[in-house]
Amino acid sequence: MCRTPATHIFRSNSGAAAGIARLTASRLAGWLLFSGLTAFVLILAGCGGSKSGSVSVDPSSTIAQPSASSDIQHVVIIVQENRTPDNLFHGLPNADIASTGVNSKGEVVTLTPAPLVNDYDLDHTHSSFVSMYDGGKMDGADKIPVYCNWYGSGCPAPNAQFRYVNPSDVQPYFQLAEQYVFADRMFQTNQGPSFPAHQFLISGTSAPTADSEDYAAEEPKLSNGAWAGVTGCAGTPGQTVALIDPEGSESTSQFPCFEHAVLTDELDTKGITWKYYTPESWSIWSAPNAINHVRNGTDWSNVVVGQSQVLSDIISGNLPQISWVVPTGQASDHAASNSGLGPSWAASIVNEIGASKYWSNTAIFITWDDWGGWYDHVAPPIYDQYEYGFRVPLIVVSPYAKPGYVSHVTHDFGSILRFIEDTFGLEPLGYADSRADDLYDCFDFSQAPLVFKAIPASHDANFFLNDHSIPEPPDND
């Protein structure tokens, strides 16, 4: 029987097997279970007869496997904020991008343009996922709450959820997507906001422990319900994060400091260098901050306060092999709080890598941490009570990226982890990475490496390196 988040997705025997695969001591067993889990996901993706969200493979792809010692030696993961393909890539050629949507009344709503810098935000908690998903009908976006900035004029706009960003505001993104690879079946792994999303981006789960079937589902809150601010293992006592159980209930919570394996553990074991570039090491966007043995261990020195240091490290020849890069609020693309710098910020990193010794052996993944409450027309494949969430954009940049390719293969945050694991010969963690594909359909390692062409943008690396304004957080949600 197929279950949906409207009634929530319960774990079957295969789900229990996935829970067993989460045990750190049984990660090898989790890997052996991968083929069975993949079949399980394929079955679930076909539930309801919906073509959207199904796993597809490009039959014309000829995929050569990379190796850590030759083709790919550096991976950079640029994590932007809160957008869907329908919202951010309107009109992108060959991609599955809708111009209309359907609301809860069955009315067809035409998506209308809006600037990247706007004066309202949309709720993107798990409950809003459930509302918009509506059992796979994808017709509940109009039920998502809208929060207006105090200085907003005429806010909220009619059909505020059904907007797309003016392509002229995000041309660097379009140029990257058209020159390299754009994935139009990239789903955030979780059905909720930033805090759990960033946990999935470093470990493939937001579970508090290795053997837990619950997930951290929301943002950490103080006892009075206010935003926690300083959080994770560095948080003040009394704050909690809601957990969602296998029945889909968020009736329990705990302090937002977790203990389980993360990808950086395996990087350390194999001597692979890494850094996590972030403007705030103590916030919800600093995923290592919520992992106890990282936050309170020797690895904490790899978590960088000062996101622009990634540019300095590229220029000075000190880029680690694996990098996670989180922006300031000004450069985040987050609704109601960004200042339009996001496209230039991402382009500045790509351009510096392209002009450096790193271009020849680097894969860059630009993705967005959650859907942000914006309308998207593609129903996600459902695995359990919290996986998967809505589509987010993904751009893949590399000299081995297929030029001008649109990937229709189902990917999620676990796919990025899987790519790193397969490329560097690491054992799967046994979470979302074990079920995910490895993104190899986006690459052709037999092609002549692409010659880098700089991406025009309104601001370059010098701007960000010399920007002394106080970095704002990407937002409080």
Side-chain angles (χ1 to χ4, degrees):
M1 177 183 294
C2 298
R3 307 280 184 107
T4 69
T7 56
H8 295 289
I9 293 79
F10 310 134
R11 292 181 183 271
S12 66
N13 291 334
S14 295
I20 295 171
R22 289 195 178 94
L23 287 167
T24 303
S26 303
R27 281 182 279 163
L28 182 58
W31 169 243
L32 295 173
L33 285 168
F34 168 67
S35 58
L37 290 172
T38 301
F40 180 57
V41 172
L42 289 169
I43 293 169
L44 285 176
C47 292
S50 173
K51 182 178 180 180
S52 62
S54 61
V55 177
S56 59
V57 177
D58 178 3
S60 66
S61 299
T62 300
I63 303 170
Q65 303 300 309
S67 68
S69 62
S70 57
D71 297 317
I72 299 298
Q73 297 174 30
H74 294 85
V75 176
V76 178
I77 306 158
I78 301 172
V79 187
Q80 297 295 98
E81 287 278 317
N82 296 30
R83 299 287 170 171
T84 68
D86 284 351
N87 170 259
L88 198 60
F89 285 89
H90 182 80
L92 184 69
N94 303 315
D96 185 4
I97 308 293
S99 296
T100 62
V102 178
N103 65 19
S104 61
K105 300 176 182 177
E107 300 168 337
V108 175
V109 180
T110 299
L111 273 62
T112 55
L116 179 64
V117 180
N118 69 332
D119 60 6
Y120 67 89
D121 192 14
L122 303 168
D123 189 81
H124 37 282
T125 59
H126 180 253
S127 62
S128 286
F129 169 88
V130 173
S131 294
M132 181 164 143
Y133 182 76
D134 190 20
K137 293 186 288 185
M138 300 295 288
D139 61 4
D142 57 306
K143 294 183 177 180
I144 292 177
V146 179
Y147 308 113
C148 295
N149 288 340
W150 63 268
Y151 52 80
S153 177
C155 182
N159 295 313
Q161 304 88 345
F162 295 85
R163 308 298 295 273
Y164 66 84
V165 174
N166 288 318
S168 60
D169 287 358
V170 290
Q171 272 305 297
Y173 290 151
F174 271 72
Q175 292 181 57
L176 286 165
E178 293 182 47
Q179 190 169 327
Y180 298 102
V181 174
F182 181 80
D184 69 4
R185 284 298 185 276
M186 173 67 170
F187 298 88
Q188 65 173 107
T189 315
N190 65 304
Q191 302 166 2
S194 293
F195 176 72
H198 282 260
Q199 293 304 306
F200 276 94
L201 279 161
I202 65 164
S203 64
T205 188
S206 66
T209 62
D211 57 354
S212 174
E213 289 195 331
D214 295 350
Y215 295 103
E218 308 291 355
E219 309 292 28
K221 300 290 184 182
L222 300 177
S223 57
N224 62 2
W227 178 50
V230 178
T231 190
C233 300
T236 54
Q239 65 176 268
T240 59
V241 63
L243 303 179
I244 186 169
D245 66 23
E247 305 303 312
S249 171
E250 293 184 20
S251 58
T252 61
S253 61
Q254 73 161 71
F255 185 67
C257 185
F258 308 145
E259 190 55 87
H260 56 69
V262 293
L263 184 64
T264 58
D265 299 333
E266 297 197 0
L267 299 179
D268 290 341
T269 298
K270 198 157 185 177
I272 298 168
T273 58
W274 66 275
K275 284 185 180 178
Y276 194 98
Y277 298 90
T278 174
E280 296 176 331
S281 64
W282 41 261
S283 76
I284 62 175
W285 299 274
S286 178
N289 180 47
I291 304 299
N292 186 52
H293 71 271
V294 179
R295 179 62 180 84
N296 296 307
T298 57
D299 261 355
W300 189 241
S301 61
N302 287 326
V303 180
V304 178
V305 179
Q307 74 296 331
S308 62
Q309 188 175 325
V310 67
L311 296 169
S312 301
D313 284 351
I314 296 167
I315 294 168
S316 65
N318 291 311
L319 185 70
Q321 290 168 276
I322 310 297
S323 303
W324 286 264
V325 184
V326 179
T328 64
Q330 296 94 319
S332 68
D333 300 334
H334 196 299
S337 63
N338 83 88
S339 59
L341 291 173
S344 290
W345 164 245
S348 73
I349 299 170
V350 174
N351 284 338
E352 288 304 316
I353 291 174
S356 75
K357 66 179 182 180
Y358 297 114
W359 172 248
S360 63
N361 58 33
T362 296
I364 305 168
F365 299 104
I366 307 170
T367 194
W368 283 253
D369 69 351
D370 70 60
W371 93 107
W374 299 104
Y375 176 75
D376 196 76
H377 75 287
V378 178
I382 298 301
Y383 174 69
D384 60 16
Q385 80 269 24
Y386 197 56
E387 303 172 274
Y388 296 119
F390 296 128
R391 290 196 306 173
V392 291
L394 172 67
I395 303 170
V396 181
V397 180
S398 174
Y400 298 102
K402 294 178 181 177
Y405 174 66
V406 176
S407 172
H408 304 303
V409 176
T410 296
H411 310 297
D412 74 288
F413 296 155
S415 303
I416 298 175
L417 301 179
R418 183 69 181 279
F419 176 87
I420 295 170
E421 292 165 351
D422 287 1
T423 300
F424 289 87
L426 305 176
E427 182 182 328
L429 290 165
Y431 302 110
D433 57 320
S434 292
R435 300 187 300 275
D437 78 302
D438 53 19
L439 287 163
Y440 282 179
D441 79 290
C442 300
F443 296 86
D444 183 355
F445 293 96
S446 66
Q447 72 184 18
L450 301 178
V451 176
F452 182 73
K453 298 177 181 178
I455 303 299
S458 57
H459 300 282
D460 62 9
N462 286 329
F463 171 86
F464 293 104
L465 286 168
N466 294 290
D467 180 12
H468 300 299
S469 59
I470 298 174
E472 298 177 359
D475 205 352
N476 60 2
D477 60 355

